[in-house]
């Protein structure tokens, strides 16, 4: 049966509407801080700031704020908000208000605790927070609460979905719902080992109950979570690209089954690949590294499928709009339509992802990883992935949902249209600079302005200077794009209401609406995922637990000596 193709407006129940709005507005405001520290990073990197701190916040504190706000808080809040909107819209369901508010309250308390620890200088442990860097227990408790709060909505959505299926026998689950349930299935798999790391290892250690920590085990558990995390970020964007983009382009989704298969493949393949972040780590057998490296090449497949399906959908749309020729049809797409600003946000992100995907494949090759690991190539890679399709689609959808759920039209539409394109340019310039510098050996997560890009230092590396400065030019362009975004965001938020709040999501019809029974049920995919996870992770974890423990005392980034 074809999925709904109309964009009928619905009213959300009061609690869901208010919580979704808060989940969108709070992190968008926090982003002002996250973006400011992103700009500072590029200035430190280019040697334009040559001190260890600016306005009382030191380099590692700022880097931690940048990563935690942008990569953990903004993304998690958005995924929960978008999940509520999608489930409520497509399944026409209501949620228990007490649970919805509790989830929000737990996430908020967690965020405030983590923010307090970072701002007071007691948690400069970066967004990866792996030991032997040690933070205050307040930070770890905050992070744990943020994660626990984000589980609750999923436990509301599962019964809503099962109820809908009972009420609609034989009807395909809407693709957007499949996408969001896949997102949170991956999230649940990924966050369980993280919970173990935080509760059993980090909190007792930070409380002083244990004097050392097994760094090898902690890093393995973190990356069990860490790479699945990137697909937790990506999948809500894929929901937008499959379900909304074709309609915004003026066409149809080329293949419904391709979207469903992509989401199911992510359930299976997103998690058992984390060791590709540890190719350089000691104490992990080469066979485990190669196996997870191989699985990493498999997890690329659903993204390639997405690239081809989205491109085919766009071509179909363009030809419907009168597009001709082998390439000329791209020009007929609605690149400059301020009313379809979501198209611009999505497309700018997708163009960046074509680059981010290629650099990811380079990272995944064990041999080539040796060249780029821990260099500035890595931030270049992730700004074209999480900073590209993920960030831009989240920003665009934040505006869209706020506009709809407040009944306020999005203000400054022309400026809004420019935001994604300026961001695209900024990321290109930034990533080009950091990629080349990385290939020349420039390290990441280093206050380069104190040494390597400071001509007054004996450690000065002239070969890195130009490329780091190019990175800073990109950083300034990105900051300009974000100034534009904040102008649009606040003008919309404080603008006048012109309509009653209502939600109407753009929904694409399928061009090929295939009936593929294999992708209609989550259970077999979840079962295969568990088996593959066991094969990929039980041996390395067993070896980390039973092998010689890699214990270490606590460190802080400001000193090479252990904390007393
Ligand atoms: Fe990655 C490190 C491998 C995808 C994020 N990655 C990171 C880190 C982050 C990150 C944050 O194997 C650093 C973590 C840290 O702090 O240490 N990554 C991959 C691979 C993929 C990949 C194979 N990464 C992502 C995504 C991210 C993300 C998605 C965030 C959302 N990554 C690695 C590896 C490392 C790593 C190693 C560790 C490196 C190290 O040594 O530390 C793949 O999933 C990528 C597949 C993607 C594609 C692209 C498909 C293209 C599409 C766009 C089509 C566009 C169209 C529009 C149609 C195959 C869908 C028209 C376009 C035109 C150009 C006209």
């Amino acid at each position: 049966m074809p999925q709904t193709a109309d964009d009928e407006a619905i009213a959300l129940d009061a609690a869901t509407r208010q919580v979704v709005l808060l989940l969108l507005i709070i992190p968008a405001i926090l982003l002002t801080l996250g973006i400011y520290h992103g700009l500072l990073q590029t200035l430190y990197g280019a040697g334009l700031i040559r001190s260890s701190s600016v306005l009382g916040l030191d380099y590692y504190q700022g880097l931690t704020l940048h990563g935690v706000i942008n990569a953990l808080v903004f993304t998690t809040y958005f995924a929960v908000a978008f999940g509520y909107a999608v489930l409520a819209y497509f399944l026409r369901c209501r949620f228990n208000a007490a649970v919805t508010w509790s989830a929000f309250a737990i996430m908020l308390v967690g965020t405030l605790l983590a923010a307090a620890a970072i701002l007071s200088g007691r948690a400069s442990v970066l967004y990866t927070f792996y030991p032997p860097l040690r933070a205050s227990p307040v930070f770890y408790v905050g992070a744990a609460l943020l994660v626990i709060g984000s589980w609750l909505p999923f436990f509301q959505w599962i019964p809503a979905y099962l109820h809908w299926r009972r009420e609609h026998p034989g009807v395909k689950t809407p693709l957007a719902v499949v996408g969001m349930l896949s997102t949170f299935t991956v999230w649940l798999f990924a966050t369980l080992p993280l919970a173990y790391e935080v509760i059993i290892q980090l909190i007792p250690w930070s409380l002083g109950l244990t004097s050392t920590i097994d760094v090898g085990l902690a890093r393995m558990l973190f990356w069990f979570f860490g790479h699945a995390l990137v697909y937790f970020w990506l999948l809500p964007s894929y929901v937008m690209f499959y379900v909304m983009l074709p309609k915004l382009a003026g066409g149809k989704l080329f293949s419904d089954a391709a979207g469903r298969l992509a989401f199911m493949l992510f359930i299976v393949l997103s998690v058992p690949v984390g060791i590709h972040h540890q190719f350089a780590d000691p104490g992990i057998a080469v066979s485990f590294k190669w196996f997870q490296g191989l699985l990493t090449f498999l997890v690329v497949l659903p993204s390639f499928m997405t690239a081809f399906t989205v491109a085919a959908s766009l071509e179909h749309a363009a030809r419907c709009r009168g597009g001709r020729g082998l390439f000329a049809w791209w020009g007929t797409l609605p690149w400059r339509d301020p009313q379809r600003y979501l198209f611009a946000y999505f497309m700018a992100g997708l163009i960046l992802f074509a680059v981010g995907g290629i650099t990811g494949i380079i990272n995944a090759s064990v041999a080539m990883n040796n060249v780029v690991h821990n260099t500035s190539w890595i931030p270049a890679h992730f700004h074209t992935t999480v900073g590209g399709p993920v960030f831009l689609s989240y920003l665009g959808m934040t505006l869209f949902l706020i506009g709809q759920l407040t009944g306020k039209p999005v203000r400054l539409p022309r400026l809004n249209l420019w935001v994604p394109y300026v961001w695209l340019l900024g990321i290109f310039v930034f990533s080009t600079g950091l990629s080349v510098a990385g290939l020349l050996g420039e390290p990441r997560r280093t206050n380069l302005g104190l040494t390597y890009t400071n001509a007054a230092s004996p450690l000065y590396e002239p070969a890195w200077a130009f490329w780091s400065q190019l990175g800073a030019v990109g950083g300034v362009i990105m900051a300009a794009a974000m100034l534009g975004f904040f102008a649009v965001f606040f003008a919309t938020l404080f603008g006048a209401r012109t309509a009653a709040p209502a939600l109407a999501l753009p929904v694409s019809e399928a061009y090929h609406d295939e009936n593929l029974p294999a992708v209609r049920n989550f259970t077999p995919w979840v079962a295969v995922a568990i088996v593959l996870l066991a094969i990929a992770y039980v041996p390395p974890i067993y070896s980390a637990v039973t092998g010689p423990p890699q214990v270490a005392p606590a460190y802080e980034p400001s000193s090479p000596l252990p904390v007393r």
Side-chain angles (χ1 to χ4, degrees):
M1 238 195 187
Q3 66 178 82
T4 333
D6 59 327
D7 305 346
E8 188 192 328
I10 62 155
L12 296 190
D13 64 82
T16 308
R17 188 181 80 87
Q18 287 157 4
V19 167
V20 168
L21 279 172
L22 286 168
L23 288 169
L24 296 171
I25 293 168
I26 292 171
I29 293 172
L30 284 176
L31 265 187
T32 52
L33 210 55
I35 294 294
Y36 163 71
H37 282 287
L39 174 64
L40 286 194
Q41 288 307 311
T42 64
L43 302 181
Y44 280 113
L48 298 172
I49 299 176
R50 295 175 176 183
S51 67
S52 58
S53 66
V54 171
L55 297 175
L57 281 180
D58 93 356
Y59 172 84
Y60 285 104
Q61 217 177 347
L63 187 51
T64 305
L65 272 176
H66 176 62
V68 170
I69 292 177
N70 297 10
L72 299 181
V73 174
F74 175 63
T75 50
T76 308
Y77 275 53
F78 178 87
V80 172
F82 188 55
Y84 270 123
V86 162
L87 272 278
Y89 185 73
F90 288 94
L91 303 186
R92 302 291 197 262
C93 57
R94 292 171 165 266
F95 302 105
N96 180 304
V99 180
T100 309
W101 278 111
S102 306
F104 168 71
I106 296 171
M107 289 173 71
L108 185 64
V109 171
T111 308
L112 293 175
L113 290 178
I118 301 171
L119 288 169
S120 63
R122 287 178 297 136
S124 298
V125 290
L126 312 183
Y127 87 105
T128 40
F129 58 84
Y130 36 63
L133 286 183
R134 189 174 70 182
S136 143
V138 175
F139 174 81
Y140 299 123
V141 171
L145 289 178
L146 175 62
V147 169
I148 291 166
S150 71
W151 285 342
L152 288 189
F154 187 39
F155 299 140
Q156 283 181 295
W157 303 341
I158 295 170
Y161 158 69
L162 294 175
H163 177 77
W164 184 92
R165 284 199 58 167
R166 277 194 303 275
E167 298 283 304
H168 299 81
V171 181
K172 272 194 205 174
T173 307
L175 182 55
V177 174
V178 172
M180 289 316 295
L181 293 178
S182 307
T183 307
F184 277 81
T185 306
V186 169
W187 184 234
L188 196 61
F189 278 145
T191 44
L192 290 175
L194 183 76
Y196 181 91
E197 184 204 354
V198 171
I199 295 166
I200 307 293
Q201 288 193 286
L202 294 176
I203 292 180
W205 179 58
S206 66
L207 284 168
L209 300 176
T210 51
S211 56
T212 55
I213 188 162
D214 187 339
V215 173
L217 178 63
R219 281 175 64 90
M220 189 170 289
L221 293 174
F222 181 84
W223 284 118
F224 188 129
F225 157 78
H227 197 79
L229 170 71
V230 314
Y231 296 114
F232 170 73
W233 296 334
L234 185 68
L235 294 194
S237 307
Y238 274 16
V239 169
M240 297 179 231
F241 301 153
Y242 277 107
V243 176
M244 300 173 189
L245 181 62
K247 169 108 179 196
L248 293 164
K252 295 182 178 182
L253 170 60
F254 190 72
S255 165
D256 174 79
R260 288 169 199 273
L261 182 58
F263 288 124
M264 296 300 165
L265 287 173
F266 276 117
I267 291 180
V268 174
L269 294 166
S270 288
V271 195
V273 291
I275 288 182
H276 71 221
H277 291 261
Q278 300 187 273
F279 286 152
D281 280 21
I284 303 175
V286 173
S287 54
F288 302 148
K289 293 181 180 175
W290 275 97
F291 182 56
Q292 293 211 11
L294 189 73
L295 292 178
T296 306
F297 285 107
L298 289 182
V299 78
V300 167
L301 293 180
S303 284
F304 272 130
M305 281 170 50
T306 305
F308 288 118
T309 311
V310 168
S313 309
L314 291 172
E315 180 171 359
H316 171 255
R319 302 225 180 261
C320 291
R321 298 164 68 92
R324 298 272 175 278
L326 194 56
F327 297 111
W329 56 267
W330 285 98
T332 56
L333 291 168
W335 301 97
R336 292 185 304 270
D337 181 351
Q339 297 313 315
R340 279 192 239 198
Y341 60 90
L342 277 180
F343 179 85
Y345 276 89
F346 294 172
M347 287 307 295
L350 279 164
I351 292 170
L352 284 171
F353 197 36
V355 178
I358 294 167
T359 54
I361 294 167
I362 292 171
N363 300 345
S365 322
V366 177
M368 291 212 260
N369 186 272
N370 274 325
V371 179
V372 296
H373 182 64
N374 272 345
T375 71
S376 60
W377 168 279
I378 301 298
H381 160 67
F382 66 69
H383 281 82
T384 49
T385 51
V386 65
V390 173
F391 191 60
L392 283 174
S393 60
Y394 284 23
L395 287 185
M397 188 47 64
T398 295
L399 289 175
F400 183 84
L401 289 175
I402 288 180
Q404 294 222 327
L405 296 178
T406 56
K408 298 175 179 182
V410 173
R411 303 280 165 178
L412 307 175
R414 299 226 153 257
L415 176 62
N416 187 26
L417 188 65
W418 276 102
V419 168
Y421 297 130
V422 177
W423 180 262
L424 166 74
L425 175 69
I427 293 263
F428 259 134
V429 174
F430 167 84
S431 294
T432 304
L434 266 69
S435 297
V436 179
L439 291 177
L440 295 172
E442 183 183 272
R444 67 183 286 205
R445 295 179 156 180
T446 305
N447 186 349
L448 300 168
L450 289 179
T451 51
Y452 301 121
T453 55
N454 179 349
S457 162
L459 295 174
Y460 181 58
E461 285 284 346
W464 300 347
F466 170 77
W467 300 106
S468 306
Q469 284 155 13
L470 191 66
V473 172
V476 171
I477 300 173
M478 288 151 74
M482 285 310 290
L483 277 179
F485 172 81
F486 289 127
V488 177
F489 172 78
F490 286 112
T492 304
L493 198 60
F494 296 117
R497 171 173 292 176
T498 57
L503 182 62
L505 297 175
V507 186
S508 311
E509 266 181 81
Y511 183 76
H512 293 292
D513 195 9
E514 311 91 334
N515 191 9
L516 197 58
V519 290
R520 290 188 70 160
N521 191 345
F522 284 96
T523 313
W525 298 92
V526 171
V528 174
I530 291 171
V531 172
L532 192 59
L533 252 181
I535 296 170
Y537 260 116
V538 170
I541 290 179
Y542 178 78
S543 138
V545 172
T546 55
Q550 299 176 17
V551 288
Y555 285 83
E556 280 172 358
S558 53
S559 166
L561 297 175
V563 179
R564 287 180 184 276

